[in-house]
Amino acid sequence: EPEVTQTPSHQVTQMGQEVILRCVPISNHLYFYWYRQILGQKVEFLVSFYNNEISEKSEIFDDQFSVERPDGSNFTLKIRSTKLEDSAMYFCASRRVAGGPRDEQFFGPGTRLTVL
Amino acid sequence: DQQVKQNSPSLSVQEGRISILNCDYTNSMFDYFLWYKKYPAEGPTFLISISSIKDKNEDGRFTVFLNKSAKHLSLHIVPSQPGDSAVYFCAASDTGNQFYFGTGTSLTVIP
């Protein structure tokens, strides 16, 4: 069964460093998402991506964040200068269609980011 | 600004009994609702959804009820099984592009 994969499973970084979180969505999916979950809190939407551009983004997704689909298979989230409060689980998700019937999102297992 | 709320952080139920998980929302523009299940160290997995044109959707042991006037939805699991023990998130969407999640309810099914 196809699944969304994410690497690494755990990333530890120093405050101020850049990190890149990687995701491989399901191959025939068209819509891609990043979410984060700070420990003990709700899952928060960061950004959605469709047709090689950002479709929607939340207020969390500021200039320190960027997303890219560099090669048609990977979907990356970059944090340019990490802060302590960026420590969280980051989930990638993909969805088959844009618009039309509301297919569910398929989530990856997450990357735990720890900023020291 | 918490548009989707799950007011019960945890719930314990005996195996075989009904589990009822509740979710409230504030945005009347939401028209699509989903429930996700999450095990530790895994991403959320889709469980069941409901469109605002319906008030009930059933899939095996899982039924979601939607009360639009009360802005309330619930997930019923009957009968509950120990493997159902997980964190359950409800989510809502108004455009299909952005999904708003609740804080989750941790369900423990006691054998």
Side-chain angles (χ1 to χ4, degrees):
Chain A
E1 186 175 322
E3 58 183 14
V4 177
T5 59
Q6 290 185 243
T7 54
S9 57
H10 191 189
Q11 174 87 48
V12 181
T13 189
Q14 294 289 329
M15 189 170 59
Q17 295 295 305
E18 174 184 285
V19 293
I20 298 176
L21 309 183
R22 291 184 167 80
C23 168
V24 179
I26 295 172
S27 62
N28 64 344
H29 284 194
L30 301 175
Y31 240 112
F32 313 111
Y33 302 80
W34 282 101
Y35 291 86
R36 78 173 186 191
Q37 185 184 23
I38 295 171
L39 186 64
Q41 298 185 23
K42 63 180 176 178
V43 175
E44 298 175 293
F45 169 80
L46 292 178
V47 65
S48 61
F49 192 86
Y50 171 69
N51 201 25
N52 285 319
E53 61 183 21
I54 290 174
S55 176
E56 286 189 59
K57 61 182 181 179
S58 71
E59 59 273 11
I60 302 169
F61 194 88
D62 60 21
D63 292 344
Q64 292 299 310
F65 291 88
S66 62
V67 289
E68 202 175 32
R69 191 157 156 81
D71 56 13
S73 62
N74 289 284
F75 179 50
T76 61
L77 174 70
K78 182 193 289 187
I79 309 175
R80 288 191 183 81
S81 178
T82 50
K83 303 186 284 287
L84 294 176
E85 53 266 37
D86 292 328
S87 296
M89 279 292 282
Y90 287 81
F91 294 104
C92 171
S94 69
R95 193 164 131 247
R96 188 166 57 92
V97 296
R102 303 279 185 85
D103 288 87
E104 68 269 20
Q105 299 175 20
F106 290 81
F107 282 79
T111 293
R112 178 171 297 283
L113 176 64
T114 301
V115 182
L116 303 176
Chain B
D1 176 25
Q2 201 155 327
Q3 300 194 53
V4 178
K5 298 179 184 179
Q6 293 176 256
N7 292 318
S8 298
S10 62
L11 174 68
S12 290
V13 171
Q14 288 287 338
E15 181 179 3
R17 306 294 289 267
I18 184 171
S19 295
I20 300 176
L21 297 102
N22 293 303
C23 179
D24 297 292
Y25 60 96
T26 56
N27 189 341
S28 58
M29 298 301 292
F30 288 150
D31 63 354
Y32 190 64
F33 305 89
L34 310 93
W35 283 95
Y36 283 84
K37 181 165 80 169
K38 185 181 180 302
Y39 293 116
E42 294 183 14
T45 55
F46 171 77
L47 202 54
I48 192 169
S49 64
I50 188 167
S51 162
S52 62
I53 62 173
K54 293 184 164 185
D55 54 19
K56 177 182 173 181
N57 189 25
E58 193 171 349
D59 183 3
R61 296 185 297 114
F62 303 91
T63 303
V64 55
F65 295 91
L66 176 62
N67 182 335
K68 288 185 291 294
S69 59
K71 295 191 180 68
H72 177 83
L73 67 155
S74 61
L75 174 69
H76 292 208
I77 306 173
V78 181
S80 301
Q81 299 173 353
D84 296 330
S85 297
V87 177
Y88 289 79
F89 291 95
C90 72
S93 167
D94 57 0
T95 65
N97 300 337
Q98 182 170 162
F99 289 76
Y100 299 84
F101 282 77
T103 51
T105 296
S106 178
L107 173 66
T108 301
V109 179
I110 304 163

